[in-house]
Structures are given as structure tokens and as C-alpha cells.
Amino acid sequence: MSEVRIAAEPRTEFGKGAARRTRRAGKVPAVLYGHGTDPEHIALPGHDLMLALKTPNVLLTIEGLSGGASLALPKDVQRDPVKGVLEHVDLLLVKRGEKVVVDLPVNLVGDVVAGGVIQQELVQVSVEAEATHIPEAVDLSIEGLKVGTQVLAGDLKLPSGVTLQVDEEALVLQIADATASAGATETEAEAAEAAEAAAAEVPEGEGETAGE
């Protein structure tokens, strides 16, 4: 897994105004918590943090803390809904050898069979892994899967030391008939158009004022 060193600065001012000033300085407000310790309020360099968070479940070595460098995982990342810039990050303290539960993206490998279409129900799965050995994703090969094939969570091949934390019977994806799926989509679209047309029709006499 990816491990990134990042320098922290203590935060002594709180509130929306203080957070805005922190962001204007190119930093991101963050809270570090876990292992029964009091939450520690820090600021992290925005550009470095943005690059680090491009890797799912990146392991951060937070430097510059009062008690020395600590390992942490991002648990809650808040972004501006319009601009997408980082606004706040919650970080969970972890230790080497400690087990943690995280969500891993399901990475599809290969091409779907001719005449088939992928219907994916789970784009990520919850697993337990050692904090310093979290895989970036769970690879799932769809090469050669026939139309009608279903892949359940229990069918996923997880790396050594990683255990599934969701129902093994949960549907990850299925290979559906592309023709049947297209037909169903067209039928739904036609039904929607018919409903819109019916709603747009004004019954005779409706809208006339008294005396007309």
C-alpha cells in the first residue's frame, strides 16, 4: 500500500472563520483521533494532502505532532460540493500490526463477453486488513464470464491477510444479456414519455374562467 509523509501544524483557532483563514493559507483543517486519545486539531498542506488522497485508504505518516510522528488513515473527507476542494479531513490513528475495517473499490479487469453487459451492484466492499498492508483495490476478472453469470462477494479473491466484512451472498455484479437490457431500457423510456405526454394533456374545459 502507499505510505505518504506529511507535515502538520497545530491549530489553536476554531470555528468557520478560522477554518476559512486556514484554507486561504493553502492548508486544510483536520482532526486526528483514536486509541483513546484526545482529538488533536491540526492543519495539513492542501496540495500535498490532495495528492495523497488520490490513493484509496492511503496511510499517512503525520509529522510535526507534539508526541512525535504518528500513522493515520483518512476516515472522513469533506469537499466543497461545487469546487471540489478539500474543506476538512478526519484522520484515524493506527498502529503497525493493528487490524482496521476499510472499504476497497472493486476493480474490474478484462472485457465483457460479446453480447453481454455488466450490471454492477457493489463498486466497493468492506474488508478487514492490517493497517499498514491495506490493498488499493480488489481486482475482479470478468474475462470469459458468460451471460447470466453472477459474482457474489464471497467469490472475490482477496489478498492474504484480508477478510471480507460484508455478506458473502451479496451480489457484486452480473453479466446480463445486452439485447434484453437494451429492450428493457427502451420500454422504460417509452413508458416515461407516455406518462409525460398524458400529464401534459389539459382536459377539455380546464383553465376556462367563469362567464367565458
Side-chain angles (χ1 to χ4, degrees):
M1 68 176 296
S2 178
E3 186 171 339
V4 176
R5 291 184 174 274
I6 193 165
E9 295 178 3
R11 274 194 303 133
T12 56
E13 293 184 309
F14 308 102
K16 293 183 178 179
R20 283 194 294 267
R21 286 191 293 274
T22 298
R23 288 191 286 268
R24 280 199 298 267
K27 302 181 186 303
V28 178
V31 175
L32 187 64
Y33 65 95
H35 293 158
T37 62
D38 292 332
E40 189 166 355
H41 299 268
I42 57 177
L44 300 173
H47 182 69
D48 293 347
L49 183 60
M50 178 189 67
L51 293 177
L53 292 179
K54 288 185 177 181
T55 300
N57 299 306
V58 61
L59 182 65
L60 299 173
T61 298
I62 311 295
E63 300 178 328
L65 301 174
S66 57
S70 295
L71 295 176
L73 290 171
K75 293 303 292 182
D76 184 39
V77 179
Q78 298 175 21
R79 299 179 185 270
D80 183 283
V82 177
K83 299 178 181 178
V85 297
L86 293 172
E87 291 194 327
H88 190 276
V89 178
D90 285 352
L91 302 169
L92 177 66
L93 285 168
V94 295
K95 295 179 180 178
R96 297 189 185 278
E98 178 183 4
K99 294 274 190 174
V100 293
V101 176
V102 296
D103 292 329
L104 297 183
V106 177
N107 179 41
L108 303 186
V109 179
D111 298 318
V112 65
V113 67
V117 62
I118 302 167
Q119 294 180 341
Q120 189 168 359
E121 299 296 326
L122 292 180
V123 296
Q124 60 182 21
V125 290
S126 180
V127 302
E128 184 182 64
E130 188 180 332
T132 55
H133 291 86
I134 300 173
E136 293 187 6
V138 176
D139 289 337
L140 170 58
S141 176
I142 59 172
E143 195 74 36
L145 294 184
K146 298 179 180 179
V147 171
T149 300
Q150 292 187 335
V151 179
L152 306 180
D155 299 324
L156 296 173
K157 296 180 179 179
L158 302 177
S160 176
V162 178
T163 56
L164 195 65
Q165 296 296 300
V166 298
D167 185 353
E168 291 188 355
E169 298 299 314
L171 178 64
V172 177
L173 63 77
Q174 60 184 352
I175 308 299
D177 187 314
T179 304
S181 297
T185 302
E186 290 175 1
T187 301
E188 291 173 1
E190 291 171 358
E193 290 177 1
E196 290 178 2
E201 291 180 0
V202 179
E204 185 177 351
E206 183 174 325
E208 296 180 355
T209 57
E212 285 186 346

